[in-house]
C-alpha cells in the first residue's frame, strides 16, 4: 500500500508555479491576481479562503480578500462581482460557497465572467469541460484529483472507477474527466448516489473508488477490492475535545481498516484538500496567461 501524498504533490505543483510567476515578473509580465469573496463567518469557509490566500502569497500571486457580513444584500454581492469582472488587474474570481440562504448561488455563479471563473462552476466552463475543450476552467477538486493521479502515474486506462457522490462540484465533473479520452482518463465510470442500490457490490467491482459524499468513515473495508486505488474527498469536522480547535477532520473512508487492502490511498487531511488548492492556483495562472 502506498499513500497518495496530496500535500507533497501539491507542493511540487506550487513550486513550479512559483518559478513560472517569478519568470513572468522578471520579464515585466503581469502576475496572477486572485480575488476571493467570503460571505459570513462560517468557520470552515474562513479556513478554506485563508488557505487559498496563503497559497497565493506563497507563490507570488496577488490576492484580494473581500469579506461581507452574512446579511449582505444579493444585489451588493452581484455589484461587487461586476466590478471585479471589469477590473483589468483581477484574473480570477472565487466566491466561497455555501452562501446564506437569501442569496442565489446560481445567480452569483452565473454573474462571474467565465474568463475569470477559476472555480470552474459557471455553466459555460462546465459545458466546455464536458466537451473536453482546453479553454475550460475545471473545478478545483476534480481537477486536483486528476493532477494527483497524473503526477503519481496512477494507471487509469480501462479501469473501472466508482464515484460515490454526484454533486456539481465533485462527483459529476470527476465522472466526466475520468471517462474522457485523456491521460489520466479512459476509465469506465459508475456514479453512485444516495438512491443507489447495491452500493457495496458496485464498489467491490471498482479498480478506483472516489468517496465524495460527506459521511465520515462511510467506505468500509468490506466494500473495497484488494489492490484498489482509493481517493477520499470527504472533509467533516468531528467534535474532539482532545484537539486544540475542539474538532478533527475526518474523511469518507475508514482509513485504518481500508488502507492495508489498497494499492494507493489518499489520507485526510493531506490528500485531496491540498490538491484542490494547487488546482485553483493552476487555474488562476492559466486565467492570467490567457487574459494577458
Ligand atoms: P454534497 O453534499 O453536495 O453531495 C453529496 C453526494 O453524496 C450526493 O450526490 C448524494 O447523493 C451522495 N450521498 C449522500 N449519502 C450517500 C450514501 N449514503 N450513499 C451514496 N451516496 C450518498 O457533497 P459535496 O459538496 O460533493 O462534498 C462531499 C464531501 O467532500 C464533503 O465532505 C465535502 O466537505 C468534501 N469536499 C472536499 C473538498 C476538498 O477539497 N477535499 C472539496 C469539496 C468537497
Amino acid at each position: 500500500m502506498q499513500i497518495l501524498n496530496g500535500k507533497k504533490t501539491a507542493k511540487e505543483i506550487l513550486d513550479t508555479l512559483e518559478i513560472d510567476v517569478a519568470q513572468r515578473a522578471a520579464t515585466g509580465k503581469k502576475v496572477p491576481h486572485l480575488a476571493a469573496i467570503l460571505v459570513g463567518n462560517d468557520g470552515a469557509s474562513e479556513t478554506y479562503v485563508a488557505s487559498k490566500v496563503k497559497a497565493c502569497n506563497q507563490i507570488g500571486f496577488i490576492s484580494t480578500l473581500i469579506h461581507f457580513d452574512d446579511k449582505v444584500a444579493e444585489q451588493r454581492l452581484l455589484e461587487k462581482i461586476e466590478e471585479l469582472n471589469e477590473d483589468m488587474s483581477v484574473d480570477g474570481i472565487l466566491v466561497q460557497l455555501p452562501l446564506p440562504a437569501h442569496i442565489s448561488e446560481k445567480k452569483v455563479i452565473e454573474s462571474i465572467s467565465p474568463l475569470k471563473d477559476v472555480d470552474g462552476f459557471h455553466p459555460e466552463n462546465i459545458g466546455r469541460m464536458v466537451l473536453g475543450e482546453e479553454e475550460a476552467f475545471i473545478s478545483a477538486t476534480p481537477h486536483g484529483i486528476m493532477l494527483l493521479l497524473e503526477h503519481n502515474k496512477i494507471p487509469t486506462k480501462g479501469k473501472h472507477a466508482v464515484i460515490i457522490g454526484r454533486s456539481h462540484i465533485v462527483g459529476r465533473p470527476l465522472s466526466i474527466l475520468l471517462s474522457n479520452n485523456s491521460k489520466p482518463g479512459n476509465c469506465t465510470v459508475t456514479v453512485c448516489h444516495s438512491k443507489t442500490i447495491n452500493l457495496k457490490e458496485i464498489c467491490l467491482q471498482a479498480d478506483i473508488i472516489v468517496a465524495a459524499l460527506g459521511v465520515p468513515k462511510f467506505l468500509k473495508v468490506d466494500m473495497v477490492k484488494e489492490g484498489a486505488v482509493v481517493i477520499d474527498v470527504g472533509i467533516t469536522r468531528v467534535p474532539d475535545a482532545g484537539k486544540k480547535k475542539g474538532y478533527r477532520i475526518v474523511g469518507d473512508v475508514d482509513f485504518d481498516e481500508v488502507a492495508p487492502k489498497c494499492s494507493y490511498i489518499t489520507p485526510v487531511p493531506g490528500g485531496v484538500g491540498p490538491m484542490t488548492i494547487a488546482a485553483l492556483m493552476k487555474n488562476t495562472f492559466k486565467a492570467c496567461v490567457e487574459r494577458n
Side-chain angles (χ1 to χ4, degrees), residues 28 57 73 81 105-106 109 132 167 195 198-199 209 217 225 249 258-259:
N57 297 340
I81 292 169
E105 287 189 357
K106 178 173 151 61
I109 288 168
S167 75
K195 308 291 184 294
N198 293 340
L199 182 68
I209 303 182
K217 297 193 177 184
K225 185 171 84 175
I249 302 291
V258 171

Side-chain angles (χ1 to χ4, degrees), residues 12-267:
E12 287 162 13
I13 292 170
L14 293 178
D15 286 349
T16 306
L17 279 174
E18 186 175 0
I19 294 167
D20 294 343
V21 175
Q23 268 169 4
R24 281 185 71 83
T27 50
K29 290 185 180 143
K30 183 181 183 310
V31 300
H33 178 181
L34 176 69
I37 299 180
L38 175 65
V39 180
N41 295 93
D42 174 70
S45 291
E46 281 182 347
T47 309
Y48 296 148
V49 170
S51 36
K52 291 166 188 176
V53 168
K54 188 175 155 204
C56 283
N57 297 340
Q58 269 171 2
I59 61 175
F61 286 14
I62 297 165
S63 64
T64 303
L65 174 59
I66 301 139
H67 196 167
F68 289 110
D69 73 55
D70 60 359
K71 303 278 181 318
V72 66
E74 182 183 270
Q75 191 51 34
R76 174 80 191 91
L77 186 56
L78 294 173
E79 281 163 15
K80 187 71 205 176
I81 292 169
E82 195 44 44
E83 201 184 294
L84 296 171
N85 282 340
E86 280 165 22
D87 184 339
M88 290 304 287
S89 78
V90 172
D91 298 298
I93 303 169
L94 81 81
V95 179
Q96 186 65 42
L97 303 180
L99 292 169
H102 69 278
I103 299 176
S104 157
E105 287 189 357
K106 178 173 151 61
K107 263 196 208 167
V108 167
I109 288 168
E110 291 183 7
S111 73
I112 298 171
S113 160
L115 299 174
K116 297 190 179 188
D117 168 41
V118 287
D119 254 339
F121 295 158
H122 192 286
E124 185 174 321
N125 279 311
I126 293 177
R128 289 189 189 282
M129 183 224 20
V130 172
L131 296 170
E133 292 181 7
E134 275 186 8
E135 304 93 304
F137 287 112
I138 296 165
S139 65
T141 303
H143 189 189
I145 293 169
M146 297 303 282
L147 289 169
L148 187 66
L149 295 171
E150 183 187 352
H151 278 248
N152 292 281
K153 302 190 170 56
I154 306 298
T156 57
K157 188 171 153 189
K159 304 288 182 192
H160 182 198
V162 170
I163 301 172
I164 314 173
R166 59 178 163 190
S167 75
H168 290 169
I169 62 165
V170 187
R172 183 79 49 92
L174 186 64
S175 70
I176 291 159
L177 297 171
L178 282 174
S179 66
N180 270 349
N181 184 0
S182 58
K183 198 176 173 200
N186 282 312
C187 289
T188 303
V189 179
T190 304
V191 182
C192 299
H193 45 77
S194 52
K195 308 291 184 294
T196 296
I197 298 166
N198 293 340
L199 182 68
K200 181 177 161 183
E201 283 68 23
I202 297 168
C203 287
L204 280 168
Q205 295 167 22
D207 304 305
I208 300 169
I209 303 182
V210 182
L213 67 159
V215 179
K217 297 193 177 184
F218 177 86
L219 190 79
K220 303 287 183 203
V221 66
D222 63 353
M223 300 167 81
V224 180
K225 185 171 84 175
E226 194 76 42
V229 175
V230 172
I231 309 284
D232 189 351
V233 184
I235 299 181
T236 305
R237 289 183 173 199
V238 173
D240 185 340
K243 297 277 177 196
K244 216 162 90 186
K245 291 177 177 166
Y247 65 85
R248 68 197 147 87
I249 302 291
V250 180
D252 287 351
V253 177
D254 190 351
F255 184 90
D256 293 341
E257 299 286 323
V258 171
K261 215 174 176 183
C262 301
S263 55
Y264 293 92
I265 185 167
T266 63

